[in-house]
Amino acid sequence: MARHLFRCPLRWSDMDAFGHVNNAVFLRYLEEARIDFMFRLSSKDGPSFSGGSVVARHEIDYLRPLVHRHEPVTIESWVTKMGAASLTISYEVKDAEQVYARASTVVVPFDLRAQRPRRITAEERAVLERYQDDSTGSAGGAAGPDSADSAEGPAGGAGGARALVA
């Protein structure tokens, strides 16, 4: 199972009055990692959610405060569940020493023309299955990557979200 790695720099403006990254900013960090993950899948392996997708749910488990620093954090992303018309992407926001947050997002493929959800195509499923690890459940209990892609990105943060799909 592969994991996507996204390096997120922290911005001074992301901090709150308590001197750590604000909880709402975590969603932006996860979005940056998720979009990078989905676009990299598309450019490497053909169409992947080319018609669009929407977020149905986020869950975040904040494990420890993340304070501003010059070093980016790494956000690991992988697929923990795939249904006919949705998937759950799980994340860990971390550095070499610790995990700051665990998160997950339920993503639904969306037909922009028809303005309605659609099923995951066979091609999308084949690509996503390489990143699937349902043994870790939602956001918790994740281990290190077996293999990974890496990317630089404009966001950073600490936050974890967990989402479950029935």
Side-chain angles (χ1 to χ4, degrees):
M1 183 254 341
R3 289 198 179 178
H4 177 264
L5 299 181
F6 183 77
R7 292 183 43 85
C8 289
L10 306 181
R11 298 173 294 237
W12 182 258
S13 62
D14 293 342
M15 289 194 311
D16 61 18
F18 301 110
H20 53 73
V21 174
N22 184 277
N23 67 81
V25 173
F26 291 104
L27 289 173
R28 273 187 283 174
Y29 295 162
L30 300 176
E31 177 184 51
E32 294 286 337
R34 183 177 63 256
I35 289 172
D36 187 74
F37 177 44
M38 301 300 270
F39 277 116
R40 285 182 184 278
L41 291 178
S42 177
S43 65
K44 285 182 183 176
D45 303 294
S48 181
F49 298 98
S50 58
S53 63
V54 295
V55 170
R57 180 180 176 138
H58 288 294
E59 279 191 44
I60 302 175
D61 294 326
Y62 302 96
L63 304 176
R64 58 186 41 88
L66 177 62
V67 296
H68 184 268
R69 61 189 187 185
H70 296 293
E71 291 244 349
V73 292
T74 298
I75 300 178
E76 288 187 11
S77 306
W78 67 98
V79 176
T80 51
K81 189 165 188 178
M82 224 180 333
S86 67
L87 68 136
T88 301
I89 299 174
S90 290
Y91 316 84
E92 282 189 341
V93 180
K94 60 202 271 180
D95 58 25
E97 288 80 40
Q98 56 195 348
V99 176
Y100 296 95
R102 290 192 175 101
S104 63
T105 303
V106 176
V107 178
V108 176
F110 196 76
D111 182 330
L112 296 173
R113 289 183 194 237
Q115 288 295 293
R116 63 183 188 146
R118 65 171 179 80
R119 293 190 171 274
I120 297 171
T121 67
E123 295 82 16
E124 291 166 341
R125 183 173 301 281
V127 172
L128 291 167
E129 283 174 346
R130 293 196 313 249
Y131 292 88
Q132 187 166 8
D133 181 4
D134 51 10
S135 67
T136 61
S138 290
D146 292 333
S147 64
D149 296 328
S150 63
E152 270 309 309
R162 185 175 10 195
L164 302 174
V165 179

